[in-house]
Amino acid sequence: MKEHDDPHGLAFTASSPESAEKFAQLTSSYMGFRPETGAVLKDLVQSDPDMPMAQCAKGYFAKLIGSANHSERAERISASLDTHVEKVGANAREKMHAAALSAWCTGALEKTTQIWEDILLDHPNDGMALRLAHFTHFYSGDGRQMRDSMARILPLWSEYHPDYGFLQGMYAFGLEESGEYEKAEKFGRMAVERNPRDAWSVHSVAHVLEMTERHQEGIEWVHGLENDWSTVNNFRFHLYWHKCLYHLERGEFDIVLQIYDAQIVSDIESDFYLDICNASSLLWRLEMFGVEIGDRWAKLVEVSTKHVHDTDLIFVSLHYLMALIAGGDKAAATKMIDNIRQWSRLDATQAKICADVGLALAEGLYHARNHDFEKAIRLMEPVRYAMDRIGGSKAQRDVFHMILLDATKASGDALRARGLFAERLGHKVHSSWTWKNYSGILEALGSDTLAKEAANNAAAALVQ
Ligand SMILES: [Fe+2]
């Protein structure tokens, strides 16, 4: 086994030059959310089982699934990789990858990300390291880390590199999550122009349109490119989820339910973590909009009961928990909250986030759903400015803010509710849901003129 360069000059310890080439293909496929990514990896592992990076990627992809059983598989791969890299004389970069996988398996996410960032200082063209770092920066809850990670690398890449557009789209997403919407839109659109099948970049622009409340434009953007982005793996359901958010604010609930059934839960059995995030948060939102959703929680409960003991990402666990709580499986929900409590006592990156924010949110959701609104508020209000830490996007985390507002309104504490809804209108000036609730609160407080004005604004927001 010796070193072979991939077409972009990155050295791999492998049995043949083809393996290095295949790894480059695997990286592009992963960046593009291509459905064949798993098959590309399988082929590589079969043709070159001793290639350190093939084994490492196997471990990485198991971790990316983000649930307990796959994490165990990753641990086994990591344990043998540690000795394997020494045996085959892997290069320094590959050894760092093995160390990153090992750190990831122990839950030391900050350390894991740091190793990838260290790799990138010397090897900015290591696409696997940069895409994985983008993923864990995303779950750090600080968009600036995603933004700066890409900003460090972009000037060092040739714009002729076939994966260059993916970087522009990742940079766009980091910019968007840092509130730099104009620049984010520019980079996102440049990436999509280059490759309309680049679902992550389409998604970056979709986020800008969500945050700047251009709902109709968002629908047109996502719909207009559907033939391209819908060719990707289950990530496509997340783009349908974004489309639903625009429709929700426009009061187009039938369309939302139709997309939910036809797309969002159409492959829920495959147990991909993002599917449950889409589904749970959408159903809970629909209910907060006053929409009757029938027995749709049942299917999500079925999937979620398998994840009661997960300790990977608290953001994902909270979405499984939402399904258990809202679907009425009290026993499983209680067990899951107990698990999060135990998780919060461990020495790991996500465990600390559980201790600081996640556990309060988990318990708050439980009490909010069981109409113990005061308890829910007591738990959720103190952590609302720390919610970013659970990771995910601003648009995704918004559901937790909405639940707090909804619980506050339901608690009958109209003054507190008035404050929270007014605050939300500061950045959601075209939100029909926010105006409608605000109007109801003002009416309850006897502010009839303001209530009427707010109701008018709610109606106007429906056509935004
Ligand atoms: Fe998103």
Side-chain angles (χ1 to χ4, degrees):
M1 195 166 269
K2 54 180 193 174
E3 275 196 325
H4 300 283
D5 280 359
D6 78 355
H8 318 296
L10 199 62
F12 288 87
T13 308
S15 303
S16 71
E18 289 75 43
S19 299
E21 231 169 86
K22 270 187 198 167
F23 199 90
Q25 219 183 75
L26 174 71
T27 303
S28 303
S29 185
Y30 165 46
M31 285 185 180
F33 292 92
R34 301 310 307 162
E36 64 273 17
T37 309
V40 177
L41 176 62
K42 205 173 163 192
D43 175 41
L44 177 61
V45 171
Q46 267 167 7
S47 62
D48 198 345
D50 288 335
M51 181 187 184
M53 282 313 294
Q55 288 301 326
C56 195
K58 230 171 98 178
Y60 281 157
F61 285 12
K63 281 304 289 177
L64 282 170
I65 297 172
S67 62
N69 50 342
H70 294 286
S71 285
E72 283 167 21
R73 196 158 57 87
E75 279 167 34
R76 285 195 298 274
I77 295 167
S78 172
S80 56
L81 186 64
D82 286 342
T83 47
H84 184 70
V85 286
E86 295 299 337
K87 204 176 90 190
V88 299
N91 65 35
R93 196 189 92 257
E94 290 164 333
K95 284 181 185 165
M96 287 170 87
H97 270 290
L101 177 62
S102 169
W104 197 354
C105 287
T106 64
L109 270 182
E110 282 164 354
K111 185 179 169 192
T112 311
T113 314
Q114 195 50 55
I115 297 173
W116 288 324
E117 289 294 353
D118 286 345
I119 290 174
L120 290 165
L121 292 176
D122 202 14
H123 304 281
N125 55 345
D126 187 328
M128 187 58 72
L130 74 87
R131 186 62 185 84
L132 287 165
H134 191 63
F135 176 83
T136 49
H137 283 314
F138 179 56
Y139 284 103
S140 78
D142 187 346
R144 294 172 305 175
Q145 294 190 28
M146 283 191 285
R147 179 195 62 189
D148 296 345
S149 174
M150 282 309 132
R152 284 191 287 274
I153 292 161
L154 260 177
L156 305 171
W157 273 52
S158 156
E159 62 171 304
Y160 300 108
H161 191 299
D163 296 337
Y164 186 74
F166 294 134
L167 267 67
Q168 289 177 311
M170 285 185 254
Y171 187 43
F173 190 60
L175 287 164
E176 180 278 325
E177 288 297 303
S178 310
E180 295 179 53
Y181 301 126
E182 223 173 286
K183 195 170 174 187
E185 189 169 348
K186 193 180 113 195
F187 273 87
R189 286 184 187 273
M190 279 195 294
V192 175
E193 205 147 295
R194 198 176 267 265
N195 174 15
R197 298 212 304 179
D198 174 0
W200 189 252
S201 300
V202 174
H203 170 254
S204 300
V205 176
H207 267 269
V208 172
L209 299 174
E210 172 65 26
M211 299 312 288
T212 52
E213 300 185 281
R214 291 141 70 187
H215 304 136
Q216 181 57 34
E217 211 182 322
I219 291 166
E220 285 161 15
W221 170 254
V222 175
H223 177 71
L225 292 159
E226 187 175 346
N227 287 340
D228 296 299
W229 57 256
S230 63
T231 60
V232 304
N233 63 18
N234 279 28
F235 180 72
R236 68 187 186 276
F237 300 127
H238 184 62
L239 274 161
Y240 283 112
W241 177 83
H242 273 281
K243 191 159 183 269
C244 286
L245 292 194
Y246 309 126
H247 284 298
L248 264 182
E249 281 294 0
R250 290 173 54 83
E252 293 157 348
F253 305 130
D254 288 346
I255 302 178
V256 176
L257 288 172
Q258 190 265 325
I259 297 175
Y260 179 89
D261 294 331
Q263 301 293 346
I264 288 173
V265 286
S266 62
D267 191 28
I268 198 83
E269 291 81 11
S270 74
D271 215 8
F272 177 52
Y273 74 94
L274 191 53
D275 289 341
I276 193 81
C277 297
N278 299 329
S280 280
S281 76
L282 192 57
L283 283 192
W284 203 306
R285 278 171 209 248
L286 276 161
E287 291 188 321
M288 287 192 285
F289 273 79
V291 180
E292 181 53 57
I293 54 132
D295 62 355
R296 286 181 174 84
W297 282 113
K299 214 173 180 180
L300 305 192
V301 170
E302 221 174 276
V303 176
S304 301
T305 47
K306 291 181 232 152
H307 295 277
V308 167
H309 299 293
D310 282 6
T311 50
D312 269 84
L313 295 168
I314 183 61
F315 176 83
V316 177
S317 285
L318 285 170
H319 286 84
Y320 286 119
L321 180 64
M322 284 165 86
L324 296 176
I325 291 171
D329 192 336
K330 270 197 177 180
T334 311
K335 212 186 274 179
M336 187 154 191
I337 293 171
D338 282 345
N339 181 60
I340 295 173
R341 192 172 296 114
Q342 284 173 23
W343 182 4
S344 72
R345 294 177 189 134
L346 300 177
D347 179 25
T349 308
Q350 287 283 309
K352 183 139 184 26
I353 297 168
C354 285
D356 295 346
V357 193
L359 181 60
L361 282 182
E363 291 179 327
L365 292 173
Y366 184 86
H367 292 303
R369 193 71 189 192
N370 290 298
H371 292 197
D372 199 341
F373 301 117
E374 275 165 36
K375 252 189 198 165
I377 296 164
R378 262 206 312 276
L379 286 156
M380 293 173 84
E381 201 179 18
V383 298
R384 71 197 178 101
Y385 284 107
M387 277 192 209
D388 288 10
R389 295 196 49 219
I390 64 168
S393 68
K394 284 181 185 172
Q396 285 175 311
R397 285 191 302 271
D398 193 35
V399 74
F400 301 113
H401 292 283
M402 289 171 76
I403 292 169
L404 170 62
L405 266 61
D406 191 54
T408 309
K409 188 182 173 222
S411 75
D413 187 346
L415 292 177
R416 189 183 297 264
R418 182 178 65 182
L420 286 174
F421 276 93
E423 186 188 288
R424 182 175 174 82
L425 287 166
H427 60 275
K428 293 262 179 211
V429 71
H430 299 302
S431 165
S432 60
W433 181 83
T434 314
W435 280 115
K436 193 177 161 211
N437 279 291
Y438 188 53
S439 172
I441 295 158
L442 291 169
E443 204 181 324
L445 286 166
S447 309
D448 292 344
T449 316
L450 285 176
K452 212 171 267 175
E453 253 175 56
N456 288 341
N457 288 337
L462 290 172
V463 292
Q464 187 63 31

